[in-house]
Amino acid sequence: MQMKKKIIKFLRWFLILSFMSSLTGCFYWMRAYQTYLQMDDFDQHFSIVADNEFQLLFNDPILYNNDFISLSKLQPSHKSTLNTGETWHYWFRKVDLQNNVIKPEVKFYFDLDFNEQELLTQWSFSQLFLQIAPSEFLEISIRSLGGAKINQGKRQIKANTDLIEKIETDLPQKSQVLNQLGTPLSIEHKKGKDVYLYHFQLETQGIEEGYEDRALSIVKLSFDNKTDELIKMSGRFIGLKISINYQKLVKK
């Protein structure tokens, strides 16, 4: 058993080193993958606080603020100076197909806290975002990254929810979600589910050329057409793809 663990650890590091060799000079990717490796010992390196908002705390921070810009290619909506560093605010507003802000305004935010060394120490998700990604599901999705598979060609990681313990909770209801998000841009009827489409525009400036599309978040919410339960959420936020299959996360 001990030998098996050593072999798995060696193969794991070999894969990551091979991946890094294709990203020569991209030190921000190296730090991003060092953060990914911390997910194996989640409770040692991270903490979670879930009340009015969801906060992911980085106990042993590795990522710098400039790393985040390099990865996302997007500037924050606003920066606030703190005694111990600064907070970057990313605001998303619901828009129509022409990217006009819809009234009454529907918006959510991500906040990133950086310490005096400019290291990422906290990532906060607003209450409205938790309507489409409830804290229980968001936490288990983040934890599942510890067993994620690496796609070297696409520079992506895919979480493996089979490696984590499922949770006992009810799936979000359509009425609850629509009460917060309002009318979708469109509804697509598929076998067994209805897919609701929303657009959210990031308030930002100075987008790097070629990455203008990243400011637009296209969010798809899939509801079971019999139970009206939210069964899947997918979208891209600040250049980061988030997809949660709620059915795979709950005990049957």
Side-chain angles (χ1 to χ4, degrees):
M1 179 63 68
Q2 192 67 23
M3 179 60 69
K4 182 178 179 181
K5 289 182 178 179
K6 289 182 178 179
I7 293 174
I8 293 175
K9 185 174 182 180
F10 170 78
L11 292 175
R12 183 181 180 83
W13 274 106
F14 178 79
L15 174 62
I16 292 170
L17 288 174
S18 298
F19 182 89
M20 294 311 305
S21 67
S22 67
L23 303 173
T24 304
C26 297
F27 293 108
Y28 57 89
W29 272 103
M30 183 177 296
R31 287 188 285 268
Y33 272 84
Q34 287 175 335
T35 302
Y36 154 73
L37 288 176
Q38 290 181 331
M39 294 287 179
D40 277 350
D41 298 303
F42 188 89
D43 292 313
Q44 175 182 341
H45 299 291
F46 302 92
S47 303
I48 286 176
V49 177
D51 40 40
N52 290 330
E53 60 180 15
F54 183 96
Q55 299 171 334
L56 175 64
L57 309 181
F58 296 74
N59 301 333
D60 303 297
I62 296 175
L63 283 172
Y64 287 92
N65 52 17
N66 285 334
D67 293 338
F68 203 84
I69 297 297
S70 297
L71 289 164
S72 67
K73 309 299 183 183
L74 295 169
Q75 296 289 334
S77 308
H78 178 68
K79 296 180 182 181
S80 299
T81 302
L82 307 173
N83 292 332
T84 56
E86 62 181 6
T87 297
W88 289 9
H89 309 277
Y90 289 84
W91 281 99
F92 299 82
R93 289 178 169 81
K94 184 181 176 183
V95 295
D96 60 22
L97 290 174
Q98 289 72 44
N99 289 341
N100 298 312
V101 175
I102 294 176
K103 301 294 184 177
E105 192 174 70
V106 177
K107 60 184 180 181
F108 64 88
Y109 65 82
F110 297 151
D111 280 353
L112 304 179
D113 287 357
F114 299 93
N115 61 20
E116 293 174 320
Q117 288 75 44
E118 301 182 343
L119 289 165
L120 178 61
T121 59
Q122 180 173 300
W123 189 332
S124 302
F125 300 77
S126 69
Q127 179 62 36
L128 182 63
F129 185 78
L130 298 182
Q131 296 300 318
I132 60 175
S135 57
E136 305 98 318
F137 296 100
L138 189 55
E139 176 176 351
I140 196 171
S141 298
I142 293 173
R143 285 179 175 274
S144 68
L145 293 177
K149 297 178 181 179
I150 301 174
N151 186 317
Q152 182 173 344
K154 295 182 179 180
R155 295 181 177 181
Q156 294 177 351
I157 56 176
K158 183 178 181 180
N160 186 352
T161 55
D162 294 333
L163 299 180
I164 57 177
E165 184 177 352
K166 305 299 189 290
I167 57 177
E168 294 184 13
T169 188
D170 296 327
L171 293 171
Q173 289 292 315
K174 181 194 295 184
S175 59
Q176 173 188 351
V177 176
L178 297 186
N179 184 54
Q180 297 295 323
L181 297 187
T183 305
L185 291 179
S186 66
I187 302 175
E188 183 179 2
H189 301 288
K190 295 186 176 182
K191 184 178 180 180
K193 63 182 179 181
D194 298 326
V195 182
Y196 284 52
L197 178 70
Y198 292 89
H199 284 187
F200 291 89
Q201 185 73 23
L202 172 65
E203 178 185 329
T204 186
Q205 295 180 350
I207 301 177
E208 186 175 329
E209 184 177 354
Y211 295 94
E212 293 82 3
D213 63 322
R214 290 195 177 185
L216 179 64
S217 294
I218 300 175
V219 180
K220 294 182 179 181
L221 304 177
S222 299
F223 296 94
D224 187 295
N225 58 20
K226 292 183 179 179
T227 65
D228 281 345
E229 294 174 326
L230 178 60
I231 56 178
K232 186 176 181 180
M233 182 276 288
S234 64
R236 187 175 65 180
F237 309 92
I238 328 179
L240 305 175
K241 293 181 179 180
I242 298 178
S243 179
I244 302 177
N245 189 327
Y246 297 98
Q247 290 179 308
K248 290 185 176 181
L249 301 179
V250 297
K251 291 182 178 180
K252 298 180 180 180

